[in-house]
Amino acid sequence: GWMWLDADNLVDAAMKDLMRGKSLSIPDPRYKALMGAVKLAPRGVLGGITSRTGRKYGPR
């Protein structure tokens, strides 16, 4: 639940970024921190994490 965002806040942040001419919108500090960590992590580590996460939370 902690990763879910309020839809109204998400759209508001995305529209503000669009008006600023940004093509990528990361609307929440949690996701900004996550993206910063992704840029620093080795690819092998990311592959393992995304594979496990996909199996746990992906479609059934």
Side-chain angles (χ1 to χ4, degrees):
W2 68 274
M3 290 296 289
W4 289 101
L5 300 174
D6 178 66
D8 291 332
N9 293 341
L10 177 85
V11 171
D12 186 46
M15 294 304 292
K16 285 178 183 175
D17 285 341
L18 178 65
M19 297 304 282
R20 291 185 194 120
K22 289 181 150 185
S23 59
L24 175 65
S25 179
I26 303 175
D28 189 81
R30 293 172 287 188
Y31 286 94
K32 288 178 184 177
L34 184 62
M35 291 307 297
V38 165
K39 289 180 182 179
L40 298 174
R43 283 185 186 255
V45 171
L46 291 176
I49 291 170
T50 57
S51 179
R52 283 190 304 276
T53 304
R55 283 193 296 271
K56 186 174 180 181
Y57 297 108
R60 292 187 165 49

